[in-house]
Amino acid sequence: MRSVILGGGLAGCEAALQLAREGFSVELLDCKPQFLNRDVYLNPDLAELVCSNSLKSEAPSTASYLFKQEMKILGSFLLETAYRCSVPAGASLAVNRNEFSRKVLKMICDTPSIIFNQGVKVNSVDELKDRYKGDFYVVATGPLTEQSLLFSIAGTSGSFYDAIAPLVTLESIDQSECFWGSRYGKGDPDFLNVPLNKEQYEMFVNELLQADKIPWTSIEKPEFFERCMPIEVLAERGFKTLSFGPFRPVGFEFRGKRPYAVIQLRAENEEKSVLNLVGCQTRMRQGEQKRVFRTLPGMKNVEFVRYGSVHRNSFINAPLVLDNGVKVKSMDNVFIAGQLTGVEGYNESIFSGLWAALNIVHKSKGGSSEEFLPPENTMTGGLLRKMMLHSDNFQPVNANFSLINNPNTLKKKERKEFYVKSGIESFSRWAETTFKNKRDISQD
Ligand SMILES: Cc1cc2nc3c(=O)[nH]c(=O)nc-3n(C[C@H](O)[C@H](O)[C@H](O)COP(=O)(O)OP(=O)(O)OC[C@H]3O[C@@H](n4cnc5c(N)ncnc54)[C@H](O)[C@@H]3O)c2cc1C
């Protein structure tokens, strides 16, 4: 069987490796480096992590932990690679992004049944099928997919915005005004924290509100996914919004008391020479970012490695356009993967590539998508069901406990532990009966 995958991002690379593992021959196409959208992609690498270097929490009572456990059971190649490139980040899985991309490229190039074709830009599904012959196609062109391609799949589309947080150098920060530590002292103290008293917080919020921002153009309609909200948009909601949101001080003490707010900086590399201003996505102009962030304690001379920014992201209305097996309803052999399907996040995009590949294998053996879904009390099961649920306003979805259908009367902490334990148990049982062969590649 021959498959053609358009897009060598997180989803496309995972799908390629999975299909090759199942004995398919694969042609992987990507428009980089000749056609590099420099607004977002910084380098020509495959599987580029475009913003944060974090694949979220590893704390055993979190939704992202459960999600990753299920991905591990399914044998995700990219998740396994992320663990091999991890850098210290408290209770989170963060990676050295360059090493991650290099390792993914090596896996792709070392797999004889994958042909990797760079510098290929395809503008529609018809063009893809005309130029590249395959039994199955996967479109995984990510959140910046151009309209012509999007319309050729969906006819209709949705779009939203999210934002990149600035990167700064550690050496330009006066660390006497900050402290290293993780919230509640959990995990290693891998975050540099900037504590603010009420006056400093107030001044910062005022600067944010007054700063010069890039205006929305008339064709742009700002529909933010809540978690990617620019800080100035949060600040506009009310004086305390940031101190109850990304700058919340709970779990921290500085000089014997809890600060009014805390801005966290997370290491981007092993040496911790570059730090990410966590949650500080912004649409402020670059000069204004310099001016406003430099008003923070310890940041008077801060140097920027990358400024924050905001971009339009595209996704299709999955419940309308896709069947349960992420195949385009109106097309016989075209599957969609990654952020384009309406999942949101690195882990979710990797899983989506894996899921598209598993569905292709299933279909190639004559299976139907109806019979092929993880149980409702698993994170992947919840995520997939949410993507199939018709709503007037379909919005991107990421792994979180609200997706799990597992009624119980336990208190919050015990409930989460219960969700994780029963989710892993059910998922393991489901995977064992669904896949006769072992999928967990970490034990290969
Ligand atoms: C600005 C921004 C910041 C983000 N930050 C985060 C974050 O911090 N954390 C997080 O969890 N998620 C983040 N996301 C969301 C999402 O997790 C990532 O975008 C993720 O990389 C999506 O994976 P993907 O495989 O769907 O697409 P991508 O990884 O973007 O890969 C798509 C690939 O397709 C190629 N391509 C595109 N169009 C064509 C074409 N016509 N022909 C050929 N090739 C094409 C591209 O070159 C690219 O290599 C962010 C998204 C954006 C846009």
Side-chain angles (χ1 to χ4, degrees):
M1 286 278 174
R2 187 178 151 72
S3 53
V4 179
I5 300 177
L6 186 64
L10 298 175
C13 290
E14 179 72 37
L17 291 163
Q18 292 293 341
L19 286 167
R21 185 187 190 217
E22 296 290 338
F24 280 61
S25 70
V26 179
E27 183 151 13
L28 176 64
L29 314 167
D30 199 285
C31 59
K32 289 181 186 178
Q34 282 86 336
F35 304 94
L36 183 64
N37 183 331
R38 293 195 183 277
D39 283 345
V40 171
Y41 300 111
L42 289 183
N43 57 51
D45 293 341
L46 281 175
E48 181 182 350
L49 299 176
V50 287
C51 179
S52 134
N53 64 338
S54 170
L55 275 76
K56 303 213 183 111
S57 182
E58 282 286 275
S61 60
T62 57
S64 58
Y65 175 80
L66 172 57
F67 191 44
K68 280 180 280 186
Q69 291 306 306
E70 295 175 15
M71 288 168 68
K72 262 192 219 172
I73 293 170
L74 288 181
S76 164
F77 284 94
L78 267 63
L79 183 60
E80 165 74 7
T81 309
Y83 284 112
R84 286 195 280 124
C85 307
S86 61
V87 295
S92 299
L93 169 62
V95 303
N96 176 323
R97 68 180 74 225
N98 296 329
E99 199 189 332
F100 175 76
S101 288
R102 262 198 310 274
K103 280 193 163 41
V104 174
L105 175 64
K106 185 164 176 353
M107 277 194 293
I108 298 275
C109 294
D110 287 353
T111 306
S113 52
I114 302 180
I115 298 169
F116 174 38
N117 231 329
Q118 278 183 300
V120 175
K121 186 155 186 268
V122 174
N123 299 307
S124 71
V125 172
D126 283 346
E127 186 189 332
L128 179 67
K129 287 180 157 185
D130 284 349
R131 286 173 62 185
Y132 300 92
K133 294 297 165 214
D135 300 299
F136 295 99
Y137 296 86
V138 180
V139 180
T141 43
L144 300 183
T145 298
E146 284 173 5
Q147 291 292 313
S148 61
L149 181 55
L150 197 65
F151 286 147
S152 77
I153 299 163
T156 148
S157 69
S159 61
F160 70 107
Y161 290 80
D162 71 7
I164 282 181
L167 298 182
V168 297
T169 62
L170 175 66
E171 63 180 6
S172 65
I173 297 174
D174 175 1
Q175 291 183 53
S176 67
E177 307 249 14
C178 322
F179 64 98
W180 288 94
S182 297
R183 205 177 293 281
Y184 294 113
K186 276 189 187 162
D188 296 325
D190 296 321
F191 289 84
L192 182 64
N193 303 292
V194 180
L196 304 181
N197 61 31
K198 193 172 177 198
E199 292 69 42
Q200 290 164 329
Y201 174 79
E202 193 165 20
M203 191 174 88
F204 182 68
V205 169
N206 285 334
E207 292 291 355
L208 275 182
L209 293 174
Q210 284 160 27
D212 189 11
K213 291 138 202 140
I214 297 171
W216 301 105
T217 65
S218 56
I219 52 156
E220 289 179 323
K221 187 163 156 258
E223 275 178 28
F224 297 108
F225 184 53
E226 193 66 20
R227 202 172 46 76
C228 299
M229 200 70 73
I231 41 173
E232 58 271 13
V233 175
L234 289 177
E236 279 164 16
R237 288 182 174 179
F239 175 70
K240 289 188 176 168
T241 307
L242 284 168
S243 62
F244 278 87
F247 301 170
R248 65 194 180 284
V250 291
F252 288 116
E253 263 197 13
F254 182 59
R255 294 179 183 151
K257 66 174 190 181
R258 182 196 280 188
Y260 187 81
V262 170
I263 300 183
Q264 292 199 280
L265 292 94
R266 183 182 51 232
E268 273 286 308
N269 52 6
E270 211 146 358
E271 318 74 83
K272 300 183 181 169
S273 57
V274 177
L275 304 174
N276 185 312
L277 274 153
V278 179
C280 290
Q281 307 90 334
T282 178
R283 209 171 158 89
M284 284 187 286
R285 291 189 188 279
Q286 293 188 353
E288 287 289 80
Q289 291 185 40
K290 215 183 222 180
R291 186 181 66 73
V292 172
F293 285 113
R294 283 184 172 175
T295 63
L296 292 169
M299 307 262 280
K300 197 167 149 212
N301 299 311
V302 76
E303 292 299 338
F304 288 73
V305 172
R306 180 187 71 193
Y307 288 98
S309 60
V310 176
H311 297 273
R312 199 187 69 174
N313 290 303
S314 303
F315 59 97
I316 58 177
N317 188 331
L320 274 183
V321 179
L322 303 181
D323 73 9
N324 292 358
V326 293
K327 184 183 77 61
V328 181
K329 285 179 189 167
S330 60
M331 298 175 192
D332 208 31
N333 56 356
V334 180
F335 292 68
I336 310 297
Q339 183 100 353
L340 193 55
T341 60
V343 296
E344 160 70 31
Y346 296 153
N347 291 324
E348 288 79 353
S349 297
I350 294 172
F351 166 69
S352 172
L354 198 166
W355 190 247
L358 292 181
N359 272 282
I360 288 175
V361 175
H362 189 66
K363 189 170 159 63
S364 72
K365 292 177 181 163
S368 101
S369 52
E370 300 302 326
E371 72 209 27
F372 192 58
L373 258 190
E376 285 185 18
N377 67 334
T378 64
M379 192 53 74
T380 48
L383 186 85
L384 291 164
R385 281 176 179 78
K386 179 81 177 174
M387 282 172 61
M388 295 165 194
L389 198 68
H390 285 265
S391 81
D392 290 343
N393 182 25
F394 175 74
Q395 287 295 303
V397 55
N398 64 352
N400 66 80
F401 281 125
S402 74
L403 301 176
I404 290 209
N405 184 6
N406 194 350
N408 69 80
T409 52
L410 295 166
K411 292 217 173 72
K412 195 171 170 190
K413 182 158 185 294
E414 288 85 37
R415 194 168 63 231
K416 289 181 178 174
E417 284 166 0
F418 173 78
Y419 283 162
V420 171
K421 189 168 172 291
S422 66
I424 293 174
E425 281 169 7
S426 304
F427 193 83
S428 305
R429 273 197 304 278
W430 173 80
E432 242 172 69
T433 42
T434 308
F435 308 106
K436 307 297 173 219
N437 58 338
K438 182 169 69 71
R439 296 207 59 86
D440 185 351
I441 53 166
S442 64
Q443 290 158 29
D444 278 357

